[in-house]
Amino acid sequence: MPPVIAALPEDTSSYVTASTSGFSTWTSESWRSKPVAQAVEYENAGALEETCSYLRQLPPLVSSSEIERARAEFYHVALGRGFIIQGGDCAESFHDVRYSLINRKVDLLRRQSRILEKALGKPVIALGRIAGQYAKPRSNPFETLPSGEVIHAFRGHNVNSEDPTDRRPDPNRLLLGYFYAAASQNTIRHILAPSVGVTSKSSSAATLYSSHEALHLPYEASLTRDHYNLSATTIWLGERTRQRDGAHVEYARGLRNPVGVKIGPTATPAEVVALLNVLAPEQMQHGKITIITRMGHGKVVTVLAPIIRAVQLSGHVPIWMCDPCHGNTIVTQSGIKTRRARDMLLELQETYLAHRSLGSHLGGIHLEQTGEDVTECLDNDHLGDEDDLKSCYKSLCDPRLSRDQALTLVTDFAKFVEKQGTLAREVV
């Protein structure tokens, strides 16, 4: 049965596109006039600028034509004519830039694409959290060791090391991040090359777009040319950096790249529409913005439905994507961060039904996953308790679905969608 939709406020006038005055002038550096959330504090600001100056002279990692091609495909997704599977590591490791590991990640996304294409009957775009996901937000920029020593929190390999003895932010790591991303991009192209000439209706065979969270603004701005962030096909803003008047939104609003925005259970309908007004002020920019909801199962019906309706009333047509991972994170008694595959599936199902009940389209799934056989998330088959997690827990940050878990989750969701279609035809 479709979910019961929470009542909307009678006054919907606040959801009409508002004025964007004050946001008319944009450059790749205009974000510097805004408050910067999650800023990295370097001991030597001059060294950071020297690194950024060098980055500005390096070749692009992706082309503007690739970004425009993705934007055209995303337009059709926003209108319900396609779907996106986005997946990859929570935080990529420099040490994992190896052919075998990259090949497993690419293969996983291609398999998931084929499963979804069969179930949905529409093209599926593969989008990796890959070739640049080297920076991570933190609730606290510092952490305290058992000894009482206070050190920098690990912020991803673009910033510092996971090793507690090497936590000083080092701008030279941004250069390493660029070259590791370049190596990953080249590897992906090599893997996909045999498929490029294959004649197929499936988009999953020959294309895999890259994406990462645009967290470290000095790095992102250094690789921006003429409104294109040339470090990735698409970028997204996280829950901690999506402030409407903040630096990250200011940076993202002027890009031609498709831009994602993570939206959690504390977001209000008016807040989401206000973000869209800034990031895509022209309402005909269908698919420029992807709203990535991460509510947690059980919260979707009451929180998401009013947001969907408010966006519909505003005239904006974004892509709607579900991230079922972050809202379902738990910590075991022994302090291990994990997730239950069952909870993720429930959120996907609840989100799909919420959109369908309002005549909207769920346009994608966003997963933290790996092609390896890790033991970081709980499931009903092999990983039932926290002791099972200890055998191969390797994530640098949040828990990832293993290859088999990720395939099972997508397969179960696909079966659910097919069943809903069958039920709808039986009712007719």
Side-chain angles (χ1 to χ4, degrees), residues 65-362:
S65 60
E66 177 184 312
I67 292 168
E68 289 295 339
R69 184 171 70 250
R71 185 163 168 149
E73 293 183 20
F74 281 32
Y75 170 87
H76 291 288
V77 174
L79 296 177
R81 303 169 185 162
F83 200 81
I84 299 170
I85 175 66
Q86 183 173 9
D89 293 300
C90 167
E92 286 186 280
S93 169
F94 287 171
H95 311 304
D96 286 348
V97 181
R98 290 180 281 166
Y99 181 89
S100 61
L101 295 181
I102 295 172
N103 190 34
R104 291 176 192 172
K105 296 173 186 178
V106 172
D107 179 68
L108 174 57
L109 282 165
R110 294 171 79 181
R111 287 173 180 267
Q112 291 170 316
S113 296
R114 288 193 289 269
I115 292 167
L116 290 167
E117 283 180 342
K118 181 179 178 182
L120 299 171
K122 61 182 69 173
V124 174
I125 300 167
L127 177 60
R129 290 173 57 113
I130 199 168
Q133 182 59 8
Y134 300 126
K136 290 297 297 179
R138 282 299 190 219
S139 301
N140 191 325
F142 298 95
E143 66 177 79
T144 304
L145 299 178
S147 65
E149 180 186 1
V150 177
I151 62 173
H152 287 277
F154 174 55
R155 301 287 296 276
H157 279 171
N158 258 10
V159 177
N160 53 12
S161 170
E162 70 273 27
D163 183 348
T165 65
D166 187 21
R167 291 289 180 82
R168 179 178 59 86
D170 180 1
N172 287 321
R173 283 182 165 270
L174 297 175
L175 291 177
L176 289 174
Y178 168 89
F179 288 112
Y180 278 119
S184 296
Q185 291 278 11
N186 287 339
T187 302
I188 292 168
R189 293 185 180 107
H190 174 77
I191 292 168
L192 296 178
S195 302
V196 172
V198 175
T199 302
S200 172
K201 294 181 180 180
S202 170
S203 63
S204 62
T207 304
L208 191 152
Y209 294 123
S210 61
S211 69
H212 62 258
E213 181 176 358
L215 186 65
H216 197 295
L217 291 181
Y219 176 83
E220 305 297 338
S222 297
L223 294 173
T224 302
R225 314 279 189 277
D226 298 328
H227 295 266
Y228 291 99
N229 180 325
L230 299 175
S231 71
T233 315
T234 83
I235 55 98
W236 77 83
L237 307 181
E239 266 278 85
R240 296 184 178 96
T241 57
R242 60 172 175 80
Q243 298 85 1
R244 183 171 61 90
D245 297 320
H248 290 79
V249 169
E250 168 62 22
Y251 169 73
R253 75 175 179 88
L255 296 177
R256 288 289 301 173
N257 306 62
V259 173
V261 184
K262 291 284 189 83
I263 299 295
T266 62
T268 65
E271 182 181 5
V272 174
V273 172
L275 264 175
L276 290 170
N277 291 341
V278 175
L279 291 169
E282 298 178 18
Q283 292 170 319
M284 291 305 293
Q285 293 177 296
H286 297 352
K288 177 190 174 182
I289 305 302
T290 298
I291 298 178
I292 310 168
T293 60
R294 37 158 292 180
M295 303 297 176
H297 87 90
K299 300 177 183 176
V300 170
V301 173
T302 56
V303 179
L304 178 58
I307 292 175
I308 295 171
R309 188 62 182 138
V311 171
Q312 290 173 322
L313 292 170
S314 76
H316 289 288
V317 184
I319 293 170
W320 292 94
M321 181 179 285
C322 177
D323 166 4
C325 300
H326 286 85
N328 295 301
T329 305
I330 59 174
V331 179
T332 68
Q333 289 185 342
S334 60
I336 302 174
K337 190 185 291 187
T338 189
R339 294 157 178 160
R340 294 188 180 93
R342 176 195 63 206
D343 296 342
M344 297 184 215
L345 179 60
L346 285 172
E347 182 167 354
L348 284 174
Q349 293 171 339
E350 292 163 359
T351 302
Y352 177 84
L353 290 176
H355 281 285
R356 195 181 71 163
S357 69
L358 287 168
S360 179
H361 305 279
L362 178 62

